[in-house]
Coordinates of all heavy atoms in Angstrom, one line a residue:
Chain T
R1201 N 86.0 -3.4 62.7 CA 84.9 -2.6 63.2 C 85.1 -2.1 64.6 O 84.4 -1.2 65.1 CB 83.6 -3.4 63.1 CG 83.0 -3.5 61.7 CD 81.6 -3.9 61.7 NE 81.0 -3.9 60.4 CZ 80.5 -2.7 59.8 NH1 80.5 -1.6 60.5 NH2 80.1 -2.8 58.6
G1202 N 86.0 -2.7 65.4 CA 86.3 -2.3 66.7 C 87.2 -1.1 66.8 O 87.4 -0.5 67.9
S1203 N 87.7 -0.6 65.7 CA 88.6 0.6 65.6 C 87.8 1.8 66.1 O 86.7 2.0 65.8 CB 89.1 0.8 64.2 OG 89.9 -0.3 63.8
Q1204 N 88.5 2.6 67.0 CA 87.8 3.7 67.6 C 88.5 5.0 67.3 O 87.8 6.1 67.4 CB 87.6 3.5 69.1 CG 86.8 2.3 69.4 CD 86.5 2.2 70.9 OE1 86.8 3.1 71.7 NE2 86.0 1.1 71.4
S1205 N 89.8 5.0 67.0 CA 90.5 6.2 66.8 C 91.2 6.1 65.5 O 91.7 5.1 65.1 CB 91.6 6.3 67.9 OG 91.0 6.2 69.2
F1206 N 91.2 7.3 64.8 CA 91.7 7.3 63.5 C 92.6 8.5 63.3 O 92.3 9.6 63.8 CB 90.6 7.4 62.4 CG 89.6 6.2 62.6 CD1 88.5 6.3 63.5 CD2 89.8 5.0 62.0 CE1 87.7 5.3 63.7 CE2 89.0 3.9 62.2 CZ 87.9 4.1 63.0
F1207 N 93.7 8.3 62.6 CA 94.7 9.3 62.5 C 95.2 9.5 61.1 O 95.2 8.6 60.3 CB 96.0 8.9 63.4 CG 95.6 8.5 64.8 CD1 95.3 7.2 65.1 CD2 95.6 9.5 65.8 CE1 94.9 6.8 66.4 CE2 95.3 9.1 67.1 CZ 94.9 7.8 67.4
W1208 N 95.6 10.7 60.8 CA 96.2 11.0 59.5 C 97.6 11.6 59.8 O 97.7 12.6 60.6 CB 95.5 12.1 58.7 CG 94.3 11.4 58.0 CD1 93.0 11.5 58.4 CD2 94.3 10.7 56.8 NE1 92.2 10.8 57.5 CE2 93.0 10.3 56.5 CE3 95.3 10.3 55.9 CZ2 92.6 9.6 55.4 CZ3 95.0 9.6 54.8 CH2 93.6 9.2 54.5
Y1209 N 98.6 11.0 59.2 CA 100.0 11.5 59.3 C 100.5 11.9 57.9 O 100.1 11.3 56.9 CB 100.9 10.4 59.9 CG 100.7 10.1 61.3 CD1 99.7 9.2 61.7 CD2 101.5 10.6 62.3 CE1 99.5 8.8 63.0 CE2 101.3 10.3 63.6 CZ 100.3 9.4 64.0 OH 100.1 9.1 65.3
R1210 N 101.4 12.9 57.9 CA 102.1 13.3 56.7 C 103.6 12.9 56.9 O 104.2 13.1 57.9 CB 102.0 14.8 56.5 CG 102.7 15.4 55.3 CD 102.4 16.9 55.2 NE 102.9 17.6 56.4 CZ 102.4 18.9 56.7 NH1 101.6 19.5 55.9 NH2 102.9 19.5 57.8
Q1211 N 104.1 12.3 55.8 CA 105.5 11.9 55.8 C 106.2 12.4 54.6 O 105.9 12.0 53.5 CB 105.6 10.4 55.9 CG 107.1 10.0 56.2 CD 107.2 8.5 56.4 OE1 106.3 7.7 56.1 NE2 108.3 8.1 57.1
Y1212 N 107.2 13.3 54.8 CA 108.0 13.8 53.7 C 109.1 12.8 53.5 O 109.5 12.0 54.4 CB 108.6 15.1 54.0 CG 107.6 16.3 54.1 CD1 107.3 16.9 55.3 CD2 107.0 16.7 52.9 CE1 106.4 18.0 55.4 CE2 106.1 17.8 53.0 CZ 105.8 18.4 54.2 OH 104.9 19.4 54.3
S1213 N 109.6 12.7 52.3 CA 110.6 11.7 51.9 C 111.8 11.8 52.8 O 112.4 12.9 53.0 CB 111.1 12.0 50.5 OG 112.0 11.0 50.1
G1214 N 112.2 10.7 53.4 CA 113.4 10.7 54.3 C 113.1 11.2 55.7 O 114.0 11.2 56.5
K1215 N 111.9 11.5 56.0 CA 111.5 12.0 57.3 C 110.6 11.1 58.0 O 110.1 10.1 57.4 CB 110.9 13.4 57.2 CG 111.7 14.5 56.5 CD 113.0 14.8 57.4 CE 113.8 15.9 56.7 NZ 115.0 16.2 57.5
S1216 N 110.3 11.3 59.3 CA 109.4 10.5 60.0 C 108.0 11.0 59.9 O 107.8 12.2 59.6 CB 109.8 10.4 61.5 OG 109.8 11.7 62.1
P1217 N 107.0 10.2 60.2 CA 105.6 10.7 60.1 C 105.3 11.8 61.1 O 105.7 11.7 62.2 CB 104.7 9.4 60.4 CG 105.7 8.3 60.1 CD 107.0 8.8 60.5
E1218 N 104.5 12.7 60.6 CA 104.1 13.9 61.5 C 102.6 13.9 61.6 O 101.9 13.8 60.5 CB 104.6 15.2 60.8 CG 104.1 16.5 61.4 CD 104.4 17.6 60.5 OE1 104.7 17.4 59.3 OE2 104.2 18.8 60.9
L1219 N 102.0 14.0 62.8 CA 100.6 13.9 63.0 C 99.9 15.2 62.4 O 100.4 16.3 62.6 CB 100.3 13.9 64.4 CG 98.8 13.8 64.8 CD1 98.1 12.5 64.4 CD2 98.6 14.1 66.3
I1220 N 98.9 15.0 61.6 CA 98.1 16.1 61.0 C 96.8 16.2 61.9 O 96.5 17.3 62.4 CB 97.7 15.8 59.6 CG1 98.9 15.7 58.7 CG2 96.8 16.9 59.1 CD1 98.6 15.4 57.3
M1221 N 96.1 15.1 62.0 CA 94.8 15.2 62.7 C 94.4 13.8 63.2 O 94.9 12.8 62.7 CB 93.7 15.6 61.7 CG 93.7 17.0 61.2 SD 92.3 17.4 60.2 CE 91.0 17.4 61.5
F1222 N 93.5 13.8 64.2 CA 92.9 12.6 64.7 C 91.4 12.8 64.7 O 91.0 14.0 64.9 CB 93.5 12.1 66.0 CG 93.3 13.1 67.1 CD1 92.1 13.2 67.9 CD2 94.4 14.0 67.4 CE1 92.0 14.1 68.9 CE2 94.2 14.9 68.5 CZ 93.0 15.0 69.2
I1223 N 90.7 11.7 64.6 CA 89.2 11.9 64.7 C 88.7 10.6 65.3 O 89.1 9.5 65.1 CB 88.6 12.1 63.2 CG1 87.1 12.3 63.3 CG2 89.0 10.9 62.3 CD1 86.5 12.8 62.0
Y1224 N 87.7 10.8 66.2 CA 87.1 9.7 67.0 C 85.6 9.5 66.6 O 85.1 8.4 66.8 CB 87.2 9.9 68.5 CG 88.6 10.1 69.0 CD1 88.9 11.0 70.0 CD2 89.7 9.4 68.5 CE1 90.2 11.2 70.5 CE2 91.0 9.6 68.9 CZ 91.2 10.4 70.0 OH 92.5 10.6 70.4
S1225 N 84.9 10.6 66.3 CA 83.5 10.6 66.1 C 83.1 10.7 64.7 O 83.8 11.3 63.8 CB 82.8 11.7 66.9 OG 83.2 11.7 68.2
N1226 N 82.0 10.1 64.3 CA 81.4 10.2 63.0 C 81.2 11.6 62.6 O 80.8 12.5 63.4 CB 80.0 9.5 62.9 CG 80.2 8.0 62.6 OD1 81.1 7.6 61.9 ND2 79.3 7.2 63.1
G1227 N 81.5 12.0 61.3 CA 81.3 13.3 60.9 C 82.6 13.9 60.4 O 83.5 13.2 60.1
D1228 N 82.6 15.3 60.4 CA 83.7 16.0 60.0 C 84.4 16.7 61.1 O 83.8 17.1 62.1 CB 83.3 17.1 59.0 CG 82.7 16.5 57.7 OD1 82.7 15.3 57.6 OD2 82.3 17.3 56.9
K1229 N 85.7 16.8 61.0 CA 86.6 17.6 61.9 C 87.5 18.5 61.1 O 88.2 18.0 60.3 CB 87.3 16.7 62.8 CG 88.2 17.4 63.9 CD 89.0 16.4 64.7 CE 89.8 17.1 65.7 NZ 90.7 16.2 66.5
E1230 N 87.5 19.8 61.4 CA 88.3 20.7 60.6 C 89.4 21.3 61.4 O 89.2 21.6 62.6 CB 87.3 21.8 60.0 CG 88.0 22.8 59.1 CD 87.0 23.8 58.5 OE1 85.9 23.4 58.2 OE2 87.4 25.0 58.5
D1231 N 90.5 21.5 60.7 CA 91.7 22.1 61.4 C 92.4 22.9 60.3 O 93.2 22.3 59.5 CB 92.6 21.1 62.1 CG 93.7 21.7 62.8 OD1 93.9 23.0 62.8 OD2 94.5 21.0 63.4
G1232 N 92.2 24.2 60.2 CA 92.8 25.0 59.2 C 92.4 24.5 57.8 O 91.2 24.4 57.5
R1233 N 93.4 24.2 56.9 CA 93.1 23.7 55.6 C 92.7 22.2 55.5 O 92.3 21.7 54.4 CB 94.3 24.0 54.7 CG 94.6 25.4 54.5 CD 95.7 25.6 53.4 NE 97.0 25.0 53.8 CZ 97.5 24.0 53.2 NH1 96.9 23.4 52.2 NH2 98.7 23.5 53.6
F1234 N 92.8 21.5 56.6 CA 92.5 20.1 56.7 C 91.2 19.8 57.3 O 90.8 20.4 58.3 CB 93.6 19.4 57.5 CG 95.0 19.6 57.0 CD1 95.8 20.6 57.5 CD2 95.5 18.8 56.0 CE1 97.1 20.7 57.0 CE2 96.8 18.9 55.5 CZ 97.6 19.9 56.0
T1235 N 90.5 18.8 56.6 CA 89.2 18.3 57.2 C 89.3 16.8 57.1 O 89.5 16.2 56.1 CB 88.0 18.8 56.4 OG1 87.9 20.2 56.4 CG2 86.7 18.2 56.9
A1236 N 89.1 16.2 58.3 CA 89.0 14.7 58.4 C 87.5 14.3 58.4 O 86.7 15.0 59.1 CB 89.7 14.2 59.6
Q1237 N 87.2 13.3 57.7 CA 85.8 12.8 57.7 C 85.8 11.3 58.1 O 86.6 10.5 57.6 CB 85.2 12.9 56.3 CG 85.2 14.4 55.8 CD 84.7 14.5 54.4 OE1 85.1 13.7 53.5 NE2 83.8 15.5 54.1
L1238 N 84.9 10.9 59.0 CA 84.8 9.6 59.5 C 83.4 9.0 59.3 O 82.4 9.7 59.7 CB 85.2 9.5 60.9 CG 85.0 8.1 61.6 CD1 85.8 7.0 61.0 CD2 85.4 8.2 63.1
N1239 N 83.3 7.9 58.7 CA 82.0 7.2 58.6 C 82.2 5.7 59.1 O 82.7 4.9 58.3 CB 81.5 7.2 57.1 CG 80.1 6.6 56.9 OD1 79.8 5.6 57.6 ND2 79.4 7.1 56.0
K1240 N 81.8 5.5 60.3 CA 82.0 4.2 60.9 C 81.2 3.1 60.3 O 81.6 2.0 60.2 CB 81.8 4.3 62.4 CG 82.9 5.0 63.1 CD 82.7 4.9 64.7 CE 83.9 5.7 65.4 NZ 83.7 5.6 66.9
A1241 N 80.0 3.5 59.8 CA 79.1 2.5 59.2 C 79.7 1.9 57.9 O 79.6 0.7 57.6 CB 77.7 3.1 58.9
S1242 N 80.4 2.8 57.2 CA 81.0 2.4 55.9 C 82.5 2.0 56.2 O 83.2 1.6 55.2 CB 80.9 3.5 54.9 OG 79.6 3.8 54.6
Q1243 N 83.0 2.2 57.4 CA 84.4 1.9 57.7 C 85.3 2.7 56.8 O 86.2 2.1 56.1 CB 84.7 0.4 57.7 CG 83.8 -0.3 58.7 CD 84.0 -1.8 58.7 OE1 83.1 -2.6 58.4 NE2 85.2 -2.2 59.0
Y1244 N 85.1 4.0 56.8 CA 85.7 4.9 55.8 C 86.2 6.2 56.5 O 85.5 6.8 57.2 CB 84.7 5.2 54.7 CG 85.1 6.1 53.6 CD1 85.7 5.6 52.4 CD2 84.8 7.5 53.7 CE1 86.0 6.4 51.4 CE2 85.2 8.3 52.6 CZ 85.8 7.8 51.5 OH 86.1 8.6 50.5
V1245 N 87.4 6.5 56.1 CA 88.0 7.8 56.7 C 88.6 8.5 55.5 O 89.2 7.9 54.6 CB 89.1 7.5 57.7 CG1 89.5 8.7 58.4 CG2 88.7 6.4 58.7
S1246 N 88.4 9.8 55.5 CA 89.0 10.6 54.4 C 89.7 11.9 55.0 O 89.4 12.3 56.1 CB 88.0 11.0 53.4 OG 87.0 11.9 54.0
L1247 N 90.6 12.4 54.2 CA 91.2 13.7 54.5 C 91.1 14.6 53.3 O 91.5 14.2 52.2 CB 92.7 13.5 54.9 CG 93.5 14.7 55.2 CD1 93.0 15.3 56.6 CD2 95.0 14.4 55.3
L1248 N 90.6 15.8 53.5 CA 90.5 16.8 52.5 C 91.5 17.9 52.8 O 91.6 18.4 54.0 CB 89.1 17.4 52.4 CG 88.0 16.5 52.1 CD1 86.6 17.2 52.1 CD2 88.2 15.8 50.8
I1249 N 92.3 18.3 51.8 CA 93.2 19.4 51.9 C 92.8 20.5 51.0 O 92.8 20.3 49.8 CB 94.7 18.9 51.6 CG1 95.1 17.7 52.4 CG2 95.6 20.1 51.9 CD1 96.4 17.1 52.0
R1250 N 92.3 21.6 51.6 CA 91.9 22.7 50.7 C 93.1 23.6 50.4 O 94.1 23.6 51.1 CB 90.8 23.5 51.5 CG 89.5 22.8 51.7 CD 88.5 23.7 52.4 NE 89.0 24.1 53.7 CZ 88.9 23.2 54.8 NH1 88.4 22.1 54.6 NH2 89.4 23.6 56.0
D1251 N 92.9 24.3 49.2 CA 94.0 25.2 48.8 C 95.3 24.5 48.9 O 96.3 25.0 49.5 CB 94.0 26.5 49.7 CG 94.9 27.6 49.2 OD1 95.2 27.6 47.9 OD2 95.3 28.4 50.0
S1252 N 95.4 23.4 48.2 CA 96.7 22.6 48.2 C 97.9 23.4 47.8 O 97.8 24.2 46.8 CB 96.5 21.4 47.3 OG 95.5 20.5 47.8
Q1253 N 99.0 23.2 48.5 CA 100.2 23.9 48.2 C 101.3 22.9 47.8 O 101.3 21.8 48.2 CB 100.7 24.7 49.4 CG 99.7 25.7 49.9 CD 99.4 26.8 48.8 OE1 100.4 27.4 48.3 NE2 98.2 27.1 48.5
P1254 N 102.3 23.3 47.0 CA 103.4 22.4 46.7 C 104.0 21.8 47.9 O 104.5 20.7 47.9 CB 104.4 23.3 45.9 CG 103.5 24.3 45.3 CD 102.4 24.6 46.3
S1255 N 104.0 22.6 49.0 CA 104.6 22.0 50.3 C 103.8 20.9 50.9 O 104.2 20.2 51.8 CB 104.8 23.1 51.3 OG 103.5 23.7 51.6
D1256 N 102.6 20.7 50.4 CA 101.7 19.6 50.8 C 102.1 18.3 50.2 O 101.7 17.2 50.5 CB 100.3 19.8 50.6 CG 99.7 21.0 51.4 OD1 100.1 21.2 52.5 OD2 98.8 21.7 50.8
S1257 N 103.0 18.3 49.2 CA 103.5 17.1 48.5 C 104.2 16.2 49.4 O 105.3 16.6 50.0 CB 104.4 17.5 47.3 OG 103.7 18.3 46.3
A1258 N 103.7 15.0 49.7 CA 104.2 14.1 50.7 C 103.4 12.8 50.6 O 102.5 12.7 49.8 CB 104.1 14.7 52.1
T1259 N 103.7 11.9 51.4 CA 103.0 10.7 51.6 C 102.1 10.8 52.8 O 102.6 11.2 53.9 CB 103.8 9.4 51.7 OG1 104.6 9.2 50.5 CG2 103.0 8.2 51.9
Y1260 N 100.8 10.5 52.6 CA 99.8 10.6 53.7 C 99.4 9.2 54.2 O 99.0 8.4 53.5 CB 98.6 11.4 53.3 CG 99.0 12.9 53.1 CD1 99.6 13.3 51.9 CD2 98.7 13.8 54.1 CE1 100.0 14.6 51.8 CE2 99.1 15.2 53.9 CZ 99.8 15.5 52.8 OH 100.2 16.9 52.6
L1261 N 99.7 9.0 55.5 CA 99.4 7.7 56.1 C 98.1 7.8 57.0 O 97.9 8.7 57.8 CB 100.5 7.3 57.0 CG 101.9 7.2 56.4 CD1 103.0 7.0 57.5 CD2 102.0 6.1 55.4
C1262 N 97.2 6.9 56.7 CA 96.0 6.7 57.5 C 96.3 5.6 58.5 O 97.0 4.6 58.2 CB 94.9 6.3 56.6 SG 93.3 5.9 57.4
A1263 N 95.8 5.8 59.8 CA 96.0 4.8 60.8 C 94.7 4.6 61.6 O 93.9 5.6 61.8 CB 97.2 5.2 61.7
A1264 N 94.5 3.4 62.1 CA 93.4 3.1 63.0 C 93.8 2.3 64.2 O 94.7 1.5 64.1 CB 92.4 2.3 62.2
S1265 N 93.2 2.6 65.3 CA 93.5 1.9 66.5 C 92.2 1.7 67.4 O 91.3 2.4 67.2 CB 94.6 2.6 67.3 OG 94.2 3.9 67.7
G1266 N 92.3 0.8 68.3 CA 91.1 0.5 69.1 C 91.6 0.2 70.5 O 92.7 -0.2 70.8
T1267 N 90.7 0.2 71.5 CA 91.0 -0.1 72.9 C 91.2 -1.5 73.0 O 90.7 -2.4 72.2 CB 89.8 0.3 73.8 OG1 88.7 -0.4 73.4 CG2 89.6 1.8 73.8
G1268 N 92.1 -1.9 74.0 CA 92.3 -3.3 74.3 C 93.5 -3.8 73.5 O 94.2 -4.7 74.0
G1269 N 93.7 -3.4 72.3 CA 94.7 -4.0 71.5 C 96.0 -3.3 71.6 O 97.1 -3.8 71.4

Side-chain angles (χ1 to χ4, degrees):
Chain T
R1201 285 198 172 274
S1203 298
Q1204 297 188 8
S1205 308
F1206 304 89
F1207 308 89
W1208 283 100
Y1209 288 84
R1210 177 176 62 197
Q1211 186 173 25
Y1212 292 111
S1213 181
K1215 302 293 185 182
S1216 63
E1218 170 193 13
L1219 179 70
I1220 298 174
M1221 293 185 70
F1222 58 85
I1223 186 167
Y1224 302 143
S1225 304
N1226 273 329
D1228 296 358
K1229 180 181 179 183
E1230 185 175 319
D1231 184 359
R1233 296 187 296 113
F1234 299 96
T1235 299
Q1237 300 173 317
L1238 174 60
N1239 183 325
K1240 289 187 177 180
S1242 301
Q1243 297 178 244
Y1244 179 89
V1245 192
S1246 66
L1247 179 70
L1248 301 178
I1249 306 174
R1250 290 182 299 281
D1251 188 24
S1252 295
Q1253 301 297 308
S1255 60
D1256 294 326
S1257 298
T1259 296
Y1260 289 79
L1261 302 172
C1262 173
S1265 62
T1267 57

